Amino acid sequence: MRGAYGMDKLSAARAVIDRIDAEMARLFEHRMTAAAEIAAWKQANGRPVRDSAREREVLDRNSARISDPVLRTHYTAFLEGLMAESRLYQQSLLHPELLWVRAASGAYPIYLCSGALREAGDVLELDRTVFIVTDKGVPASYADALAAQCRRAVVHTVPQGEGSKAPAVLETLLEAMLRAGMTRSDCVAAVGGGVVGDLAGLAASLYMRGIDFYNVPTTLLSMVDSSVGGKTAVNLGGVKNAVGTFWQPKAVLIDPDVLKTLSARHVSNGLAEALKMAVTHDPALFARFENSAGYGPVEDLIAACLRMKRAVVEADERERGLRRVLNFGHTLGHGLEAAAEGRLLHGECVALGMLPMCTPGVRARIIPVLERYGLPVRANFDVDTAMRAISHDKKSSDGLIEIVTVPELGRFAFQRVTLSELRERLLMCIEEQR
Ligand code: GLY
């Protein structure tokens, strides 16, 4: 009897919720239609989508309508989520060209457009103090172009190169942010390559327990890969990326025009990460690299890579599963990077590190592409030094190291191998290509 009575109550409560959900869906459409009208007005009047003061007022006014204190907390969170969705909707209406990444921790846009740097203020919230991190190798005019659009900008320039991914440099950065009087509502923007992005992103994630972060990549490598996905890190004790966080950017702004000042070697360095995506995911993209006329417009290449990266990050933000595929070429690559002691760039090591992970047929197709784009297919380095770095790699557990292998173009597999098997692969690669 009691069971039946309980079921009646359950059905009745579910019916109430169904009716309310139907009503809420109708109201949601109404609310978003009004939001779209507000967005159009804001665009016509040159006002930003976000109006923090108005949002606070709406939150306070509506939360006060809920008398139960526990429910009020839940309602406030619900309303905050609703307002965040409304902002995203307004931005996607105003900028249909934006590529949205819907990661588990939140959504953010990638603005990929020639001239984007000059229009940063349209997409990023710069009406606050913006701590811009750049390095000595990046033309100062890029950071200056962003700074000119901020209410207040502090430009912090670190030395160029992997050496800046160090705790001491991070500390200097955080101290400079404190000195600049940065508050929780201010933000950090990285203007540079992967090193600057990793360092600045980590600083943003730590400062006052985390503030907004914008990534403005200026190298091809960071455009096609590292600027998206929220990985931040510094190296520690000789171990690459030993200390870091997942801290998604609020937005990524990519202006391919800045590649005009990038050296041919650094363009190739970025192409290695694009090839990584093509080899594991997209045979048609790989075929573009095989084309003797070249791979086509760089903007299309960046967009193709970012679509793949987005799909991976959306499926697995924290690298618990699928995202491990992005380590293709990196296990040996990190070892090679350590052994090369600065002689080889990151992408060059990744290019080399991919080869032993492929079947001979795939390798035979990749080698001519690497050669065409000036990427190494052989290198002289101390194998013991490389293996020592690999055995410290964070992917190591129970004496086994996970690698990503490619049995055929566009397919990949995860394999766990011993260090001696890995050494064989490293040696096999060198000997085969000598
Ligand atoms: N660059 C590899 C990743 O984002 O997971």
Side-chain angles (χ1 to χ4, degrees):
M1 270 318 264
R2 269 187 68 201
Y5 177 66
M7 287 304 286
D8 284 351
K9 280 186 87 163
L10 180 67
S11 309
R14 281 184 173 157
V16 170
I17 284 181
D18 284 348
R19 274 200 305 280
I20 291 173
D21 283 351
E23 183 65 6
M24 277 176 49
R26 199 180 59 75
L27 292 174
F28 180 78
E29 277 185 327
H30 270 319
R31 196 183 195 283
M32 289 311 214
T33 305
E37 278 163 17
I38 290 170
W41 182 89
K42 283 180 172 170
Q43 189 176 44
N45 291 277
R47 304 276 283 274
V49 162
R50 183 168 210 160
D51 180 346
S52 303
R54 159 95 186 154
E55 283 186 12
R56 189 73 259 155
E57 188 248 313
V58 171
L59 265 180
D60 290 347
R61 179 160 35 87
N62 284 296
S63 298
R65 291 184 169 131
I66 308 287
S67 49
D68 181 311
V70 175
L71 279 185
R72 195 182 313 128
T73 310
H74 288 289
Y75 182 73
T76 304
F78 168 74
L79 207 51
E80 277 170 346
L82 187 60
M83 291 197 302
E85 278 310 319
S86 176
R87 273 198 309 274
L88 296 182
Y89 178 59
Q90 293 182 48
Q91 280 176 329
S92 42
L93 289 176
L94 298 182
H95 293 283
E97 72 283 11
L98 295 181
L99 195 65
W100 286 90
V101 181
R102 290 193 171 261
S105 62
Y108 56 93
I110 303 171
Y111 186 46
L112 166 61
C113 172
S114 166
L117 193 51
R118 286 192 308 274
E119 297 166 5
D122 288 354
V123 187
L124 317 181
E125 285 171 52
L126 303 178
D127 186 18
R128 48 183 165 169
T129 299
V130 183
F131 191 86
I132 300 174
V133 185
T134 188
D135 78 37
K136 291 204 170 93
V138 179
S141 58
Y142 300 159
D144 291 347
L146 184 64
Q149 300 169 72
C150 304
R151 175 164 21 117
R152 174 177 173 243
V154 180
V155 179
H156 187 91
T157 308
V158 299
Q160 186 180 17
E162 190 71 17
S164 280
K165 276 180 64 171
V169 181
L170 174 70
E171 194 179 346
T172 312
L173 215 90
L174 292 167
E175 281 169 357
M177 289 165 71
L178 263 184
R179 274 199 308 278
M182 303 274 296
T183 68
R184 294 209 66 198
S185 47
D186 293 324
C187 65
V188 174
V191 178
V195 168
V196 168
D198 280 8
L199 178 69
L202 182 56
S205 74
L206 296 174
Y207 189 77
M208 307 230 163
R209 300 200 177 89
I211 62 174
D212 286 355
F213 172 55
Y214 294 123
N215 211 330
V216 184
T218 58
T219 63
L220 185 59
L221 186 140
S222 52
M223 288 180 186
V224 298
D225 185 31
S226 63
S227 62
V228 169
K231 277 190 179 176
T232 82
V234 290
N235 307 326
L236 182 70
V239 181
K240 200 170 159 70
N241 300 332
V243 176
T245 54
F246 285 99
W247 190 250
Q248 298 296 338
K250 276 278 154 198
V252 179
L253 185 115
I254 301 177
D255 185 347
D257 287 356
V258 305
L259 294 174
K260 287 178 190 142
T261 54
L262 200 65
S263 70
R265 186 175 177 201
H266 275 90
V267 170
S268 293
N269 189 48
L271 290 179
E273 292 282 6
L275 274 165
K276 171 192 84 174
M277 308 291 279
V279 169
T280 49
H281 282 82
D282 191 345
L285 181 61
F286 185 81
R288 275 165 55 183
F289 284 107
E290 289 179 307
N291 189 334
S292 56
Y295 51 79
V298 73
E299 206 162 321
D300 293 355
L301 176 70
I302 297 167
C305 291
L306 289 178
R307 284 202 183 87
M308 283 184 266
K309 175 103 191 214
R310 173 176 69 166
V312 171
V313 169
E314 286 183 343
D316 174 24
E317 183 177 358
R318 296 211 152 220
E319 200 175 307
R320 299 210 165 97
L322 176 66
R323 186 164 179 174
R324 294 172 297 146
V325 67
L326 301 178
N327 294 327
F328 174 56
H330 283 64
T331 306
L332 294 183
H334 283 173
L336 288 162
E337 223 173 328
E341 292 172 332
R343 280 177 290 114
L344 292 175
L345 299 174
H346 176 73
E348 292 170 341
C349 295
V350 169
L352 210 47
M354 290 192 286
L355 294 173
M357 302 301 167
C358 301
T359 50
V362 174
R363 201 154 51 233
R365 281 185 69 183
I366 298 178
I367 287 175
V369 171
L370 297 184
E371 285 173 337
R372 168 174 300 154
Y373 290 107
L375 287 161
V377 296
R378 66 175 71 103
N380 287 320
F381 57 90
D382 181 53
V383 176
D384 288 333
T385 309
M387 286 309 298
R388 251 195 316 279
I390 291 169
S391 64
H392 280 123
D393 197 291
K394 65 184 185 305
K395 293 161 209 86
S396 164
S397 74
D398 307 336
L400 294 176
I401 305 257
E402 184 178 84
I403 57 170
V404 184
T405 55
V406 170
E408 65 180 90
L409 279 173
R411 285 210 308 119
F412 58 86
F414 296 115
Q415 260 178 265
R416 285 163 64 76
V417 297
T418 61
L419 279 172
S420 61
E421 284 174 78
L422 208 53
R423 190 185 180 92
E424 284 303 305
R425 285 189 187 255
L426 195 56
L427 290 172
M428 177 191 78
C429 172
I430 295 168
E431 282 165 7
E432 259 184 11
Q433 291 161 14
R434 269 188 179 150

